[in-house]
Amino acid sequence: MLQQIYPSVQHPYAFELNKDFNFSSAHYIPFDEAGKCKNIHGHTYFVNLTIAGNELDKMGFLVNFSELKTLIHKRYDHKLLNDFDEFKDHSPSTEQVAQTIYKIVQESLDQRDNKPQCVQVFVRETPTSYVVYRPVNQGDNHA
């Protein structure tokens, strides 16, 4: 994987971890104004998750890195994003993909006793385009 430096997010937590991974998916944006994107096409999305918190678990982790990748990669890799319920009411633009990844990750983190927070989701769609999603209120799990 390409070594990448991501935008940093300010947060009040003592610990921060970042996890990089990718998944390959297809999507389309069902609007004529979307131009070529209205047709089904694929991307290899590169994702960076920034997780922060003050408390570590019994193993000394905020969260196990592999759990973060599994949540998203297993769900979306080699699939058509438009087929998922979470994209039925809005098209899977990179912005919506980033926000949806946040929601999935934060729901999982909320189950942990040490309550880490997802403070940033970076999604690179192409070599020249990416989206950064940050919840509006850090620590608000329903951003």
Side-chain angles (χ1 to χ4, degrees):
M1 176 175 282
L2 174 70
Q3 295 297 313
Q4 176 72 39
I5 296 179
Y6 301 99
S8 61
V9 58
Q10 296 296 316
H11 58 74
Y13 301 104
F15 295 99
E16 174 181 311
L17 70 80
N18 285 271
K19 174 61 180 164
D20 289 329
F21 59 90
N22 63 61
F23 63 92
S24 298
S25 295
H27 73 154
Y28 61 91
I29 309 299
F31 295 93
D32 287 336
E33 306 95 276
K36 291 191 284 185
C37 290
K38 73 180 177 182
N39 301 315
I40 295 175
H41 61 285
H43 297 283
T44 297
Y45 293 93
F46 290 88
V47 177
N48 174 271
L49 300 176
T50 303
I51 310 298
N54 290 323
E55 301 291 326
L56 303 178
D57 67 15
K58 67 181 180 181
M59 297 181 292
F61 297 155
L62 279 174
V63 62
N64 189 320
F65 285 116
S66 65
E67 290 177 33
L68 297 171
K69 178 182 177 184
T70 300
L71 280 172
I72 306 305
H73 186 271
K74 190 175 210 178
R75 182 182 189 104
Y76 293 134
D77 193 45
H78 288 84
K79 306 274 178 43
L80 177 63
L81 296 176
N82 299 71
D83 288 345
F84 286 87
D85 287 341
E86 53 264 38
F87 297 114
K88 293 294 183 203
D89 295 329
H90 54 269
S91 60
S93 65
T94 307
E95 293 87 342
Q96 295 288 1
V97 169
Q99 183 180 41
T100 299
I101 288 171
Y102 163 79
K103 289 176 181 178
I104 292 167
V105 168
Q106 190 58 57
E107 284 176 11
S108 177
L109 296 176
D110 287 344
Q111 304 307 307
R112 301 180 59 81
D113 290 340
N114 62 328
K115 301 295 184 202
Q117 300 295 306
C118 182
V119 295
Q120 179 171 278
V121 177
F122 176 102
V123 179
R124 180 173 295 284
E125 181 182 72
T126 71
T128 60
S129 61
Y130 66 88
V131 167
V132 175
Y133 177 80
R134 296 181 185 122
V136 174
N137 298 312
Q138 297 298 338
D140 177 1
N141 300 339
H142 305 288

